[in-house]
């Protein structure tokens, strides 16, 4: 644990659980919009806003882990190199799914098609989060990392 601002100690395991919960909710909100047949035809549509927000939050979360969290973890726990390698592969796969979804939105695919993209994304994200939590939460309890929570875990953290 480390300070995150004056007098604050970061409980990294708790923060990871919270941000994962928020990201799950963001993806489910986007899926609910797509399943309801919400149009994605205008930049201000709820579906687009929720989906872009979910995608940006996921990308920000994984970018922070790749840049700050994973190097700290493997530096303090070299036995996690293989686990972190798998998590990074998941991040790449999730980014590919996000790209495919964005392209589907740009092509103005029907809501059912967008929901299929989001369903696949939600399934991979859930599997990834479950694995990450099983492998890292215990280690995160004692992680020594001095960085702002939002930089490490993304815009929905903190």
């Amino acid at each position: 644990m480390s300070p995150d601002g004056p007098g604050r100690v970061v409980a990294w395991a708790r923060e990871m659980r919270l941000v994962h919960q928020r990201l799950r909710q963001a993806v489910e909100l986007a899926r609910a919009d797509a399943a309801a047949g919400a149009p994605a035809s205008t930049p201000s549509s709820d579906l687009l806003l929720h989906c872009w927000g979910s995608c940006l939050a996921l990308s920000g979360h994984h970018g922070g882990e790749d840049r700050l969290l994973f190097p700290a973890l493997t530096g303090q726990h070299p036995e996690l190199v293989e686990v972190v390698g798998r998590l990074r592969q998941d991040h790449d796969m999730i980014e590919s799914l996000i790209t495919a979804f964005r392209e589907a939105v740009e092509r103005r695919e029907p809501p059912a098609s967008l929901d299929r993209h989001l369903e696949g994304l939600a399934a991979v994200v859930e599997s990834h989060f479950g694995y990450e939590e099983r492998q890292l939460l215990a280690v995160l309890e004692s992680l020594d990392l001095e960085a702002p929570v939002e930089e490490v875990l993304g815009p929905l953290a903190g």
Side-chain angles (χ1 to χ4, degrees):
M1 292 190 280
S2 66
D4 183 46
R8 180 162 184 239
V9 173
V10 176
W12 290 107
R14 178 182 173 280
E15 292 295 337
M16 180 175 278
R17 277 191 220 95
L18 287 173
V19 76
H20 282 180
Q21 179 182 18
R22 290 175 186 141
L23 288 165
R24 286 175 174 116
Q25 290 169 344
V27 171
E28 285 308 310
L29 182 59
R31 286 203 63 212
D33 286 342
S41 58
T42 65
S44 63
S45 74
D46 287 344
L47 175 59
L48 266 185
L49 292 174
H50 292 152
C51 293
W52 285 162
S54 300
C55 292
L56 287 172
L58 274 168
S59 295
H61 171 66
H62 292 149
E65 286 181 334
D66 289 343
R67 278 188 319 278
L68 299 168
L69 181 66
F70 291 165
L73 279 171
T74 56
Q76 294 172 40
H77 298 276
E79 72 277 10
L80 292 175
V81 167
E82 191 173 314
V83 168
V84 166
R86 179 174 172 194
L87 292 169
R88 286 180 190 268
Q89 287 177 334
D90 285 357
H91 290 177
D92 291 342
M93 181 184 346
I94 290 167
E95 283 304 309
S96 293
L97 293 170
I98 288 171
T99 298
F101 171 73
R102 285 183 179 151
E103 290 169 353
V105 169
E106 289 169 4
R107 288 189 302 271
R108 298 180 191 256
E109 291 186 11
S113 175
L114 298 179
D115 184 53
R116 283 191 297 278
H117 281 278
L118 290 171
E119 181 180 24
L121 178 62
V124 173
V125 164
E126 185 56 41
S127 173
H128 169 74
F129 286 172
Y131 178 75
E132 188 170 54
E133 290 169 1
R134 285 189 308 277
Q135 297 298 316
L136 300 183
L137 286 179
V139 173
L140 289 174
E141 292 292 343
S142 62
L143 180 66
D144 182 21
L145 174 59
E146 294 188 24
V149 176
E150 295 81 6
E151 287 184 28
V152 176
L153 296 177
L156 295 183

